[in-house]
Amino acid sequence: MTQNNVYSDATQARGDVIIEVQGVDKFFGDFQALKNINLNVGKQEVIVVMGPSGSGKSTLIRCINRLEKHDAGRIVVDGVELSDDIRNIQEIRRETGMVFQQFNLFPHLTVLDNITLAPRQVRNMPKNEAEEMAMLQLERVKIPEQAHKYPGQLSGGQQQRVAIARSLAMQPKVMLFDEPTSALDPEMIKEVLDAMQELAESGMTMIVVTHEMGFARAVANRVLFMADGEVVEVGTPQHIFENPDEDRTKLFLSQIL
Amino acid sequence: MAVRTETASLRRPSPALRWVRENLFNNWYNSVLTVIFGALFIWVGFSLLRWVFFRAEWEIVRVNLTLFMVGRFPRDELARIWVSNYMIVGAIGLMAGAATASAAAAAKEAGLPFVQSKLQDLIQRFWPVLLLVAALLQFSRTWTPTIMTVGMVVIGVAARFAGLHLPRVIRRYAWVLVALLLIGAYGALVWFGGFGWDDWGGLHLTLFVTVAGIILAFPLGLLFALGRRSTLPLVRLLSVTYIEFIRGVPLITLLLMGAFALKFLLPPGMDLSLVSRLVVAIMLFTAAYVAENVRGGLQAVPKGQTEAGQALGLPAWKVMRLIVLPQALRAVIPAMVGQFISLFKDTSLLVVVGVFELLAVSSIANNQPEFLGKGLAEVTLPFVAVIYWVGAYTMSRESRRLEKKLGVGER
Ligand SMILES: Nc1ncnc2c1ncn2[C@@H]1O[C@H](COP(=O)(O)OP(=O)(O)O)[C@@H](O)[C@H]1O
Ligand SMILES: [Mg+2]
């Protein structure tokens, strides 16, 4: 490992590895959505994934919590390898929070019930304790006063922050974000990114699919650039944004800037 | 100036008058239509009222009121029915009270305002039922039913009061009490030398078959809806076959089969009474339609809801029970209640296989020697029709209310 080679340095996770993705392929019918993906994520690391639409970003992070089943390769999360065993899958899902582009809050439940549902049903937490903890999470994302409203009564930015709180309530070791600000009006993007940045600073391991360059520069340890189901390159934000090696990366960056 | 504006505002027609002018008399042909239909409406209304209050010979209903209400239930055992009704009213009152208390407590905990429903709301919701009960009571030739009905109201109010003020710990188990009361209501009719379904009749039997049909058909329909979406091919095939078979057969065919064919299908020792076989037929029929309704609701729940539940680590059945089903069922309340209203009205088909339900009573009354050949079907059929209408209309309104109430999350 040579100090002047930023690229090779940044392809490797630092410290303990918590997510291992090795040689993962994913097919939808004949169409190959992921091609031999390799990625190690270290504890407390923040990885930003970028790439054109359809390049497989969502598919990659959805494979990590088994919303999609990978067809080849290995995925290990916190020492547990994903297999067809439903207990393995449940164990990994309990440790892995996910935030969706469309929030996917449960519209028939209040904000508080959205957050307490999983701790009570999965971790068998008593109601009082779950509600106390939910309020803590809501304070963390700065909307405790919305606890008794229904999702439909909140703005998009507030809904997405509830979704983050809902995931955090399970005390996950890893958080996956799939374009969390893409469905938001511009004036609400910042409040969500701020919540995510605070989460990162608190030491959460995160994989974030986003095209928010400011966020990537400020928070990401590494940026992963994907195209056509492949990882095109991995590096520090400076490296990827200022001096990318690959033409596909350059082209993409010139289009989103 | 000031004087002028004042006179102008004085001349301005009242809002009601303006509405009439803008909506009913806004051009010449609309005015003509308004006059014609207005006259028609007044004439029909007048004739109807004249018929109800002066022309119709209600004697046949007065004489046969008990027959319309309970069919051939032994007359010296009618107390059983009143006891049963008391228990049902008690159960409903208790449930309503406990539910209100829980909702109030939840609202208080959340720091939200809670508006308790008033008597006025109840009257607004159930005025057709109240009018019908009043009409039935005035047909009665003795005071017993009125006294008993007042007793039911008293018990209902008392039970609601009790439900409201149950200690919190006990309130959580109020449903046990409610269930016991309902079982008791059934037992009062059947146990201790009582009478099975085949001896029941009239409106009482109609309501029982309706409620039993709904209670049985709903879970069965739910199972078939889930079965149709199962990942197991065999379960899916069975569900689809069942649903499509039943939906392709007229209800009357199933009822005739229930009456005449099902008996031979049953294993020897097992002997179901006629009414139970028919309830089974109605249940099987309705379940297929409930299944299709629920399937529509399941499809309407976005995939993201399931994924969010899975991502939180909830097992599949909890995702279904806590996230997908509540949303799916809410979406199909109108369709499902429509199905139950059909069931209620279709119980009248039981007349064909010789069951003594409400509609059957009307033809039996018309064949009594003192009324035979007097064309009194023109009295009994409207009477029966109004009872069906009250039931169907109330169900439909309650469904709309429920839909609105649960719709709170959709805002
Ligand atoms: N369930 C699916 N069935 C078929 N094709 C899919 C499915 N999900 C994704 N794809 C395809 O896989 C490719 C990658 O999709 P996705 O991971 O959603 O891309 P991204 O998130 O980078 O925009 C796309 O071409 C998409 O059409
Ligand atoms: Mg995507």
Side-chain angles (χ1 to χ4, degrees), chain B residues 197 209 212-213 216-217 220 242 246 251 254-255 258 262 266 270 272-287 350:
Chain B
W197 302 354
V209 171
L216 294 171
L220 189 66
Y242 175 82
I246 295 284
L251 174 58
L254 289 176
L255 290 177
L262 201 61
L266 289 174
M270 193 170 158
L272 284 178
S273 72
L274 174 65
V275 173
S276 3
R277 277 177 278 141
L278 294 172
V279 167
V280 168
I282 288 179
M283 163 189 86
L284 295 178
F285 179 79
T286 304
L350 295 189

Side-chain angles (χ1 to χ4, degrees), chain A residues 28 31 33 52-59 68:
Chain A
F28 291 111
F31 175 77
S53 173
S55 57
K57 308 178 297 291
S58 299
T59 307
E68 304 286 357

Side-chain angles (χ1 to χ4, degrees), chain A residues 19-36:
Chain A
I19 301 176
E20 276 179 79
V21 178
Q22 288 176 2
V24 164
D25 291 339
K26 168 71 190 168
F27 291 86
F28 291 111
D30 288 338
F31 175 77
Q32 188 166 6
L34 294 179
K35 298 170 187 163
N36 188 27

Side-chain angles (χ1 to χ4, degrees), chain B residues 358-381:
Chain B
L358 183 58
L359 186 62
V361 175
S362 103
S363 61
I364 285 166
N366 280 305
N367 285 324
Q368 288 162 341
E370 67 242 73
F371 300 116
L372 189 63
K374 291 194 178 161
L376 287 177
E378 74 168 39
V379 176
T380 54
L381 287 179

Side-chain angles (χ1 to χ4, degrees), chain A residues 68-84:
Chain A
E68 304 286 357
K69 183 175 183 295
H70 58 281
D71 296 307
R74 262 161 51 88
I75 297 178
V76 183
V77 180
D78 197 27
V80 181
E81 179 171 356
L82 266 177
S83 68
D84 285 334

